[in-house]
Amino acid sequence: MTLADWTPLTFEPAPVLEGTATRLERLSGDHADALDAANRADDAMWAYLPYGPFADREAYRDWVAEAAASSDPIFYAIRGEDGWAGVASYLRVDRANGVIEIGHIAMSAALQRTRAATEAIHLMIAQAFAAGFRRVEWKCDAANGPSLAAARRYGFGYDGTFRQHMVVKGRNRDTAWFAILDGDWPRLCKVHRAWLDADNFDAAGRQARSLSVMVAEAAGATVA
């Protein structure tokens, strides 16, 4: 593949990403207390992250201040139905080659497995491709079953596993790599939007069809 016309990107993430079920804002100290309160429902959310759980609110405020000042990773706060309840970031932002990763995903128990959580990641993927990135990556501990499932649910393709890639919290981490390419995104974006559509949910917010099934069907896979 020749890329004679390729030029490095001048990407600066939007300060706000607005969806139907969620709103993302660039992380700031204003979000810290609400996020800390949401996070305290379940320490298990920190199991595969290199930091957390935090001893107290002041410790989390300190982490937010550091994260908000970072230029890479670039953090967003995520609002769910009950308020600010999670964060996610862009990292390893490679404007020269058009590659970007979504990671540092820390969603509280109240936000996990919700329409807002799915839409938040969708909005971040969509922003990256709209800015001209060629590849959006997702990496996780190969032992982190929920994150592996989430990557596949969004339509990220598996690229392989880097064995003995890191030492995290005193244990080995093999890192599974996934990616969506710009050529994949128009199809996946259409599927994501169909899943997010209000017609896919009943009055209690239950989905009619799962995103995993819809992504698999769009790829031509046979779903039992």
Side-chain angles (χ1 to χ4, degrees):
M1 177 190 299
T2 61
L3 294 170
D5 296 329
W6 171 258
T7 56
L9 303 176
T10 56
F11 172 65
E12 290 301 328
V16 174
L17 298 174
E18 190 82 51
T20 300
T22 191
R23 177 183 172 92
L24 286 77
E25 294 180 1
R26 291 287 295 273
L27 181 66
S28 75
D30 292 341
H31 303 112
D33 288 355
L35 288 169
D36 179 67
N39 294 343
R40 297 210 171 267
D42 184 7
D43 283 351
M45 64 178 284
W46 305 106
Y48 292 101
L49 288 165
Y51 41 78
F54 295 87
D56 52 36
R57 182 166 293 182
E58 285 304 316
Y60 187 71
R61 285 174 176 167
D62 289 344
W63 179 86
V64 168
E66 182 178 352
S70 170
S71 60
D72 189 347
I74 303 165
F75 280 88
Y76 281 100
I78 303 169
R79 190 175 72 191
E81 184 177 329
D82 298 320
W84 299 106
V87 303
S89 78
Y90 292 118
L91 65 156
R92 296 168 56 93
V93 183
D94 184 352
R95 294 170 177 83
N97 293 295
V99 180
I100 193 168
E101 180 181 347
I102 295 174
H104 290 284
I105 300 168
M107 296 191 182
S108 69
L111 185 60
Q112 293 170 21
R113 295 178 294 279
T114 66
R115 186 180 176 197
T118 295
E119 187 175 40
I121 301 301
H122 166 79
L123 290 171
M124 292 183 71
I125 299 169
Q127 177 178 220
F129 283 122
F133 283 92
R134 304 170 58 235
R135 174 182 169 93
V136 176
E137 297 181 332
W138 178 292
K139 303 185 184 79
C140 63
D141 191 315
N144 186 350
S147 188
L148 296 172
R152 295 186 172 99
R153 178 174 174 266
Y154 287 110
F156 285 86
Y158 174 65
D159 283 346
T161 296
F162 282 25
R163 296 175 296 164
Q164 295 187 190
H165 182 219
M166 296 180 182
V167 176
V168 178
K169 293 179 176 174
R171 64 175 185 270
N172 174 65
R173 168 172 154 161
D174 298 339
T175 300
W177 288 50
F178 296 84
I180 296 173
L181 304 184
D182 52 0
D184 304 326
W185 180 238
R187 168 181 55 83
L188 287 170
C189 183
K190 183 177 179 180
V191 174
H192 287 192
R193 289 175 176 169
W195 184 86
L196 289 164
D197 190 274
D199 288 343
N200 190 46
F201 296 88
D202 65 17
R206 294 182 293 258
Q207 64 181 3
R209 303 192 70 216
S210 76
L211 183 57
S212 297
V213 168
M214 294 169 72
V215 165
E217 289 179 350
T222 301
V223 180

